[in-house]
C-alpha cells in the first residue's frame, strides 16, 4: 500500500533458476535459525537445571518474527563494515546466526541468561560473540546506530580508519511508542545519514495484547516527512499471487479493511474455520469464498501468514533498493511467533513451547531434537552459504591508537578574584589547545543548544563546529556577533537539537570509538544540570555499552535561585555513587575544576577507562579562598587529594567539629567556621570534591573493593575525628555516609523539597543550608 510517491512497496518478484535456488538455500538457513533460537530459549527454561525455580525467561515468539529479516540481512545484504543494532528480544536469533557463522562456540548455546553466559539482551561488553550495539532499553538501542554513524563520520574525517558501512537498526513496532525514536529522527543531524537503515518488525502485538490500531500509515508518513526513504513490505508472494486471481481484489480489500485484532484472530483458526470467517459478509464474501475454495488446507493457512517480513525474496529486494543518500526505514509486516504453535496468540510474548511442541517443531523444520545444535552437513548448499557469509563479514583488523596523555596539572597560577566553576570549564579547554595540543585534538564537545550559556563560546570560536560539509557563516562580518559559528569538517563541537537523550546518545557513541575503530576520542557533553536525570538512562546505557565520556551538568542546584523550583536540581550530586562505570566530581573552585576535568579526561578512551560526571555552578566564589599551596610539592599533594575526593581546606588548632561541604556551599561552610571560632568552637572545614570516590575508599577499607583508601586517613584522620556537619546544594543523603568513616555523630544539611524563586540568600535560608543553619547544627552537636 503506497501513501505517496515517497513511500515504496517492494514486491520481491525476482525470477530465474538461480534466484529460486538462492531463495531455497536462504529459506533452509532461516528454518535452522528459527530452530536454534527457539531451542536456545527452550534449553534455558526447560532443560538446564534450575534449583531456585525462578523463571529464566526468553522470547521465542519475538525471536520468531525476526528470523526471516535477520536471515536475509546476514546471509545476503550485510557487508563487513556494516553494523547492526538487534531488537532486544531477538538476541537468541543473533546468537544462532553467529553460531552458524562460526563466531560462537556451541558450548554457549546452553547458557542463555546463565551467569557468565549469553546475556538476556545483546551486549557489546558481556556477550562472548560479536555484538555491534548493546540493546535492551527500549528506544535507546534502536537510535544508537544514528549516533554511531555520526561518530564514524567524525572519526573518519578527523583521523581516518573508520571506513564506511551501513548502520542498521532492527526494532519492534512497539519501540516506535518511545519518544527517543522521534526525538532522534527529527534531529537536524540525522536527515543526511544515508548509511542509516531501520527495519521495523511490524508484528502488531505488544507484551499484553494485540494492538488494536497500529496506525502504520501514520508512522510511515512521519518518517517520510522527516526526509527518510520509506519501504513497505506488507504481503508476501503467495498472497500477492492470490490477489492477482479472479476475486483477489475482493480478498485484498477485505484484508486491508480488517482490524488488526481480527486478522490476528484468523491466525489462530483451523482451515475450516478460516474458510468460514475469511470471506466475511456482504457482496465480496462470495468471490472470496470462490477464490480460496480450490486451495488445500496447508496452502490456505500458509497464504494468510505470507506477510512481507517473512518473504526472504522481498526482503532481499528491499535491502538492495536502499537509497544511500538519506536514511531508510523498512516496515516489514510480520506475525509474532511465526512458524511456532503460538503464532498470533495475544499472550505469546513470553510463552514457551512444551516438550511435545518442540519435537513437532523439530520434525517440521527438519532437525533432530536429540541433537539440537547440529550444524549443516559439510558440503551442503546451506553450509556453503554460511561459510561464504562468514568470509564476507570478516572485519579487517585495525591497530588501536593509544589515548593521548592528558597533563595532570596545567601549572597555571591559582586563580584569584571572583569566578565560578562553569567558567573554569571553558578556560581549561582553551588552555589544553595551547599546552596539550595532542590531547585537545581528541576532545569533542557536544551540546543541546546551550553552548553559549555554559561557557563553551571561547572553545567554539577556537575549534569550530563540526559538520560533514563546510557551511557558510553568514554572520562572519557582523561586528556585534561574539560567538563565531564556523561549521566545517575539522570542527570539534557537535551541536544537536535541544533533546538531552540525543546528546547523551551521541556522547556514548563518541566515547566508544576507541573500541570500534581504534581511534580514541575525549567526548564532553554539556547539559543543564536540572535535566541530567532526563538524560541519565541513555547515558547509563552508553556506559554499559563501553562508551566512555564526560557529562557536565551546569548550572546546578538551588543556587539557580531565580529559576525557581522546577530548575533546581536536587538528586544529581549522588549520581556518581549510584552509576556504575562513572566517577562524579563537584568542585568548589576553578583550580579544583581544572584538576578534576583533567583527571576525568585521562580516564577516557582506553581499556578499563571510566566515564565522569561533573556538576558545576555559576555562583561567583572568591578564588583565593581555595588557599592553594605555593610550594610545588604541596600543590601536587593538594591536587592528588582533590582528584581522590576531598581535602582539608581549613585546619583549626583544636577542632571540636568538622564541616564537610561540597561545591557552591563551601563559602557558607567557611563563613560558619569563622563564626564558630568567634564563639570559641574550633571547626575544621573539609572540601568534598567527589562523594563517589570517598564512598569507594570507605568500601575498600571495609574490604569490599580494590579502590585506594589513603584519602580517608589524610582528610579524616582518627586523631581529628569530631562530630560532623555535612552540607551541599543537593540531597543531604549524598554525604551522610561520611560519619561512618570514624563513627562520629552527624547532622546532614541539604535540599529535600522543591524550591522557590528568590535571591541566593533567601533560598539558602529557606532550605536550611545557609551559614546560620550550619552554625546552629554545629552548636547542637558540640554544646
Amino acid at each position: 500500500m503506497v501513501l505517496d510517491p515517497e513511500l515504496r512497496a517492494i514486491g520481491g518478484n525476482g525470477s530465474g533458476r538461480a534466484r529460486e535456488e538462492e531463495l531455497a538455500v536462504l529459506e533452509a538457513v532461516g528454518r535452522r535459525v528459527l530452530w536454534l533460537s527457539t531451542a536456545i530459549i527452550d534449553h534455558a527454561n526447560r532443560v538446564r537445571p534450575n534449583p531456585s525455580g525462578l523463571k529464566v525467561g526468553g522470547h521465542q515468539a519475538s525471536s520468531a518474527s525476526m528470523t526471516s529479516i535477520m536471515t536475509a540481512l546476514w546471509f545476503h545484504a550485510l557487508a563487513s563494515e556494516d553494523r547492526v543494532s538487534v531488537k532486544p528480544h531477538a538476541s537468541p536469533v543473533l546468537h544462532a546466526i553467529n553460531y552458524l557463522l562460526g563466531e560462537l562456540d556451541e558450548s554457549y548455546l546452553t547458557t542463555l541468561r546463565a551467569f557468565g553466559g549469553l546475556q538476556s539482551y545483546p551486549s557489546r561488553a558481556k556477550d562472548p560473540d560479536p555484538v555491534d550495539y548493546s540493546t535492551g532499553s527500549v528506544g535507546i538501542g534502536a537510535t544508537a546506530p544514528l549516533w554511531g554513524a555520526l561518530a564514524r563520520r567524525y572519526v573518519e574525517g578527523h583521523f581516518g580508519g573508520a571506513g564506511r558501512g551501513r548502520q542498521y537498526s532492527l526494532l519492534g513496532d512497539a519501540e516506535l511508542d518511545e519518544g527517543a525514536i522521534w526525538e532522534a529522527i527529527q534531529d537536524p543531524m540525522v536527515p543526511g545519514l544515508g548509511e542509516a537503515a531501520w527495519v521495523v518488525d511490524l508484528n502488531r502485538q505488544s507484551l499484553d495484547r494485540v494492538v488494536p490500531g497500529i496506525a502504520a500509515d501514520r508512522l510511515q508518513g512521519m518518517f517520510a516527512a522527516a526526509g527518510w526513504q520509506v519501504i513497505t513490505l506488507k504481503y508476501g508472494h503467495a498472497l500477492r499471487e492470490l490477489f492477482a486471481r479472479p476475486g483477489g481484489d475482493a480478498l485484498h480489500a477485505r484484508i486491508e479493511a480488517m482490524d488488526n485484532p481480527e486478522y490476528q484472530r484468523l491466525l489462530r483458526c483451523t482451515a475450516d474455520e478460516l474458510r468460514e470467517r475469511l470471506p466475511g459478509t456482504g457482496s465480496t464474501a462470495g468471490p472470496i469464498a470462490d477464490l480460496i475454495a480450490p486451495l488445500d488446507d496447508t496452502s490456505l493457512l500458509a497464504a494468510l501468514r505470507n506477510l512481507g517480513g517473512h518473504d526472504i525474496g522481498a526482503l532481499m529486494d528491499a535491502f538492495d533498493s536502499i537509497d544511500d543518500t538519506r536514511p531508510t526505514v523498512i516496515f516489514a509486516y510480520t506475525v509474532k511467533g511465526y512458524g511456532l504453535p503460538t503464532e498470533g496468540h495475544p499472550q505469546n510474548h513470553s510463552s514457551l513451547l512444551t516438550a511435545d511442541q518442540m519435537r513437532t517443531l523439530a520434525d517440521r523444520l527438519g532437525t533432530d531434537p536429540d541433537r539440537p545444535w547440529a550444524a549443516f552437513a559439510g558440503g551442503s548448499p546451506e553450509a556453503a552459504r554460511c561459510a561464504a557469509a562468514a568470509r564476507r563479514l570478516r572485519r579487517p583488523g585495525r591497530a588501536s591508537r593509544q589515548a593521548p596523555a592528558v597533563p595532570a596539572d596545567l601549572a597555571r597560577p591559582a586563580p584569584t578574584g571572583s569566578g565560578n566553576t562553569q567558567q573554569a570549564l571553558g578556560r581549561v579547554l582553551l588552555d589544553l589547545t595551547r599546552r596539550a595540543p595532542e590531547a585537545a585534538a581528541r576532545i569533542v564537545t557536544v551540546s543541546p543548544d546551550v553552548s553559549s550559556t555554559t561557557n563553551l563560546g571561547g572553545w567554539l570560536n577556537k575549534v569550530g563546529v563540526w559538520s560533514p560539509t563546510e557551511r557558510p557563516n553568514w554572520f562572519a562580518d557582523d561586528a556585534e556577533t561574539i560567538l563565531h559559528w564556523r561549521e566545517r569538517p575539522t570542527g570539534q563541537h557537535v551541536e544537536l537539537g535541544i533533546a538531552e537523550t540525543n546528546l547523551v546518545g551521541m556522547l556514548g557513541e563518541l566515547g566508544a570509538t576507541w573500541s570500534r575503530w581504534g581511534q580514541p576520542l575525549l567526548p564532553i557533553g554539556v547539559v543543564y544540570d536540572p535535566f541530567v536525570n532526563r538524560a541519565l538512562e541513555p547515558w547509563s546505557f552508553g556506559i554499559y555499552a563501553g562508551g566512555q565520556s564526560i557529562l557536565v551538568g551546569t548550572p546546578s542546584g538551588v543556587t539557580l535561585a531565580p529559576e525557581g523550583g522546577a530548575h533546581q536540581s536536587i538528586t544529581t550530586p549522588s549520581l556518581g555513587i549510584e552509576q556504575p562505570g562513572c566517577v562524579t566530581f563537584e568542585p568548589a573552585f576553578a583550580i579544583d575544576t581544572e584538576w578534576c576535568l583533567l583527571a576525568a579526561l585521562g580516564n577516557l578512551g582506553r581499556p578499563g577507562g571510566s566515564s565522569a560526571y561533573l556538576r558545576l555552578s555559576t555562583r561567583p566564589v572568591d578564588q583565593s579562598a581555595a588557599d592553594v599551596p605555593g610550594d610545588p610539592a604541596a600543590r601536587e599533594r593538594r591536587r592528588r587529594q582533590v582528584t581522590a575526593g576531598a581535602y582539608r581546606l581549613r585546619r583549626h588548632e583544636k577542632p571540636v567539629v568538622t564541616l564537610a561541604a561540597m561545591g557552591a556551599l563551601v563559602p557558607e561552610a567557611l563563613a560558619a567556621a569563622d563564626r564558630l571560632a568567634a564563639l570559641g568552637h574550633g571547626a575544621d572545614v573539609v572540601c568534598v570534591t567527589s562523594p563517589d570516590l570517598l564512598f569507594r575508599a570507605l568500601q575498600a577499607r571495609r574490604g569490599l573493593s580494590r579502590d585506594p583508601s589513603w584519602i580517608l586517613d589524610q582528610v579524616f584522620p582518627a586523631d581529628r575525628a569530631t562530630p560532623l556537619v555535612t552540607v551541599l546544594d543537593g540531597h543531604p543523603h549524598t554525604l551522610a555516609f561520611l560519619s561512618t568513616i570514624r563513627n562520629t555523630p552527624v547532622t546532614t544539611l541539604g535540599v529535600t523539597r522543591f524550591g522557590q524563586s528568590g535571591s541566593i540568600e533567601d533560598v539558602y535560608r529557606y532550605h536550611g543550608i545557609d551559614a546560620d543553619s550550619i552554625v546552629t547544627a554545629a552548636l547542637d552537636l558540640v554544646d
Side-chain angles (χ1 to χ4, degrees):
M1 180 168 56
V2 179
L3 295 177
D4 59 51
E6 287 296 306
L7 305 185
R8 305 177 51 206
I10 298 295
N13 292 315
S15 60
R17 186 181 183 89
R19 169 80 168 194
E20 292 176 1
E21 292 176 350
E22 181 181 24
L23 287 175
V25 171
L26 287 178
E27 286 168 356
V29 172
R31 288 192 293 273
R32 186 60 56 89
V33 171
L34 174 60
W35 166 257
L36 287 170
S37 60
T38 307
I40 287 171
I41 300 169
D42 177 70
H43 189 280
N45 287 272
R46 195 178 55 80
V47 180
R48 191 171 68 216
N50 183 11
S52 70
L54 293 175
K55 175 185 175 183
V56 175
H59 301 85
Q60 291 175 330
S62 295
S63 293
S65 66
M66 287 293 299
T67 54
S68 299
I69 294 170
M70 294 177 68
T71 298
L73 182 58
W74 261 264
F75 294 95
H76 169 75
L78 273 188
S80 61
E81 294 287 349
D82 297 343
R83 296 178 186 271
V84 188
S85 169
V86 175
K87 185 180 82 168
H89 291 163
S91 63
V93 183
L94 176 62
H95 298 310
I97 289 174
N98 280 335
Y99 170 63
L100 292 177
L101 294 175
E103 296 284 359
L104 181 67
D105 188 79
E106 179 182 322
S107 61
Y108 281 104
L109 300 180
T110 61
T111 67
L112 179 68
R113 301 190 174 206
F115 187 81
L118 300 177
Q119 298 300 295
S120 305
Y121 310 121
S123 171
R124 285 191 73 221
K126 297 180 181 296
D127 272 317
D129 52 334
V131 174
D132 293 330
Y133 289 98
S134 297
T135 58
S137 192
V138 176
I140 295 173
T143 57
L146 297 177
W147 318 124
L150 286 170
R152 185 206 63 78
R153 289 191 180 197
Y154 186 95
V155 168
E156 181 65 22
H158 283 76
F159 308 107
R164 301 183 65 82
R166 287 178 181 162
Q167 303 280 332
Y168 288 93
S169 287
L170 310 180
L171 61 154
D173 50 11
E175 288 196 77
L176 297 180
D177 290 344
E178 286 290 336
I181 297 290
W182 304 105
E183 288 181 341
I185 70 167
Q186 294 181 82
D187 192 274
M189 281 284 189
V190 170
L193 295 178
E195 62 266 52
W198 288 14
V199 184
V200 179
D201 173 15
L202 201 67
N203 61 48
R204 295 161 291 170
Q205 286 187 235
S206 62
L207 189 150
D208 291 328
R209 61 174 181 163
V210 171
V211 180
I214 197 65
D217 294 356
R218 177 175 57 83
L219 296 172
Q220 293 161 355
M222 292 168 70
F223 275 95
W228 288 51
Q229 177 192 23
V230 180
I231 298 173
T232 303
L233 298 178
K234 189 162 188 179
Y235 301 116
H237 70 281
L239 268 177
R240 291 196 306 275
E241 288 177 2
L242 278 179
F243 294 157
R245 298 178 186 179
D249 289 345
L251 177 62
H252 180 266
R254 163 85 168 115
I255 295 178
E256 283 287 301
M258 189 181 295
D259 287 342
N260 180 43
E262 182 183 1
Y263 172 80
Q264 300 279 354
R265 178 63 184 89
L266 293 180
L267 295 174
R268 306 295 301 167
C269 290
T270 64
D272 289 342
E273 291 171 333
L274 190 57
R275 293 181 193 280
E276 179 182 346
R277 291 190 179 204
L278 182 57
T281 60
S283 60
T284 60
I288 295 174
D290 292 341
L291 172 65
I292 64 177
L295 300 178
D296 61 65
D297 290 351
T298 301
S299 298
L300 176 60
L301 293 172
L304 183 70
R305 291 156 171 75
N306 184 228
L307 299 180
H310 302 303
D311 189 317
I312 287 183
L315 288 161
M316 292 165 61
D317 288 344
F319 291 131
D320 292 343
S321 67
I322 288 175
D323 177 3
D324 286 326
T325 66
R326 54 180 174 158
T328 295
V329 60
I330 300 172
F331 282 90
Y333 281 74
T334 63
V335 174
K336 192 167 183 175
Y338 182 74
L340 305 181
T342 57
E343 63 182 1
H345 194 284
Q347 280 83 51
N348 66 6
H349 184 79
S350 298
S351 64
L352 300 169
L353 270 59
T354 65
D356 289 341
Q357 288 174 325
M358 286 295 296
R359 289 195 167 273
T360 301
L361 180 67
D363 182 65
R364 185 170 63 80
L365 297 179
T367 61
D368 183 354
D370 296 323
R371 298 179 60 243
W373 319 123
F376 289 115
S380 67
E382 294 80 8
R385 187 75 181 206
C386 291
R391 290 191 298 270
R392 170 169 44 86
L393 297 176
R394 191 165 295 120
R395 289 174 180 160
R398 287 192 177 95
S400 294
R401 182 184 178 91
Q402 188 173 357
V406 177
D409 189 345
L410 296 178
R412 284 174 52 104
T416 57
S418 180
N420 62 59
T421 56
Q422 180 177 289
Q423 292 170 342
L425 168 68
R427 193 206 71 208
V428 172
L429 293 179
L430 282 175
D431 283 351
L432 280 168
T433 63
R434 295 185 289 267
R435 299 176 183 236
E438 288 189 11
R442 296 276 168 171
I443 292 175
V444 52
T445 54
V446 189
S447 171
D449 196 34
V450 293
S451 303
S452 57
T453 54
T454 54
N455 286 91
L456 289 183
W459 164 258
L460 262 68
N461 288 342
K462 176 73 174 179
V463 303
V465 178
W466 179 75
S467 172
T469 58
E470 187 153 357
R471 298 175 181 173
N473 177 14
W474 296 107
F475 292 87
D477 59 349
D478 186 342
E480 295 183 3
T481 300
I482 299 175
L483 186 65
H484 302 296
W485 205 262
R486 295 189 297 268
E487 297 181 84
R488 54 197 179 189
T490 57
Q492 291 180 240
H493 175 77
V494 179
E495 186 86 0
L496 300 176
I498 201 168
E500 288 82 8
T501 54
N502 291 349
L503 171 126
V504 293
M506 181 71 182
L507 205 59
E509 291 307 316
L510 290 169
T513 60
W514 67 275
S515 59
R516 289 197 192 282
W517 299 292
Q519 289 285 1
L521 297 176
L522 309 179
I524 303 173
V526 180
V527 62
Y528 285 168
D529 194 71
F531 309 130
V532 164
N533 279 323
R534 185 185 300 175
L536 184 58
E537 185 203 359
W539 188 54
S540 174
F541 209 80
I543 294 173
Y544 171 79
Q548 299 170 8
S549 62
I550 297 172
L551 183 63
V552 178
T554 184
S556 63
V558 300
T559 301
L560 279 170
E563 298 285 347
H567 281 71
Q568 296 173 358
S569 49
I570 295 173
T571 61
T572 51
S574 63
L575 292 180
I577 296 178
E578 299 156 4
Q579 175 60 55
C582 166
V583 177
T584 187
F585 293 104
E586 185 167 346
F589 301 102
I591 189 64
D592 297 353
T593 305
E594 173 184 312
W595 289 335
C596 291
L597 180 59
L598 294 175
L601 287 169
N603 277 328
L604 300 179
R606 64 192 70 226
S610 171
S611 293
Y613 165 63
L614 269 70
R615 188 175 190 251
L616 305 183
S617 173
T618 51
R619 182 187 183 185
V621 172
D622 178 9
Q623 298 300 307
S624 64
D627 196 21
V628 179
D631 179 80
R635 175 185 171 112
E636 172 59 14
R637 182 175 185 268
R638 166 69 69 83
R639 186 201 65 79
R640 291 180 64 246
Q641 290 178 338
V642 165
T643 58
Y647 59 95
R648 193 168 291 270
L649 181 57
R650 181 78 61 84
R651 180 185 177 92
H652 195 276
E653 183 179 352
K654 296 181 178 179
V656 295
V657 67
T658 299
L659 310 180
M662 190 165 74
L665 269 295
V666 168
E668 270 60 40
L670 292 172
D674 290 340
R675 289 170 54 183
L676 286 168
L679 295 171
H681 300 290
D684 282 352
V685 177
V686 171
C687 181
V688 176
T689 55
S690 175
D692 177 19
L693 292 177
L694 293 182
F695 184 76
R696 296 186 195 191
L698 184 60
Q699 293 290 84
R701 198 174 72 177
R702 293 168 174 164
L704 300 176
S705 78
R706 296 183 178 180
D707 293 284
S709 61
W710 58 266
I711 188 66
L712 301 180
D713 291 327
Q714 288 195 5
V715 180
F716 298 97
D719 61 352
R720 298 184 72 83
T722 63
L724 184 67
V725 177
T726 66
V727 60
L728 75 155
D729 188 2
H731 199 283
H733 79 81
T734 306
L735 298 179
F737 73 91
L738 294 180
S739 66
T740 65
I741 295 174
R742 299 299 175 193
N743 294 320
T744 55
V746 64
T747 296
T748 58
L749 304 180
V751 183
T752 58
R753 51 186 169 166
F754 291 115
Q756 299 185 36
S757 297
S759 67
I760 286 180
E761 293 78 12
D762 289 339
V763 171
Y764 281 4
R765 188 178 306 110
Y766 172 77
H767 289 288
I769 55 176
D770 59 331
D772 283 353
S773 299
I774 297 172
V775 170
T776 299
L779 292 175
D780 287 342
L781 287 172
V782 301
D783 278 353

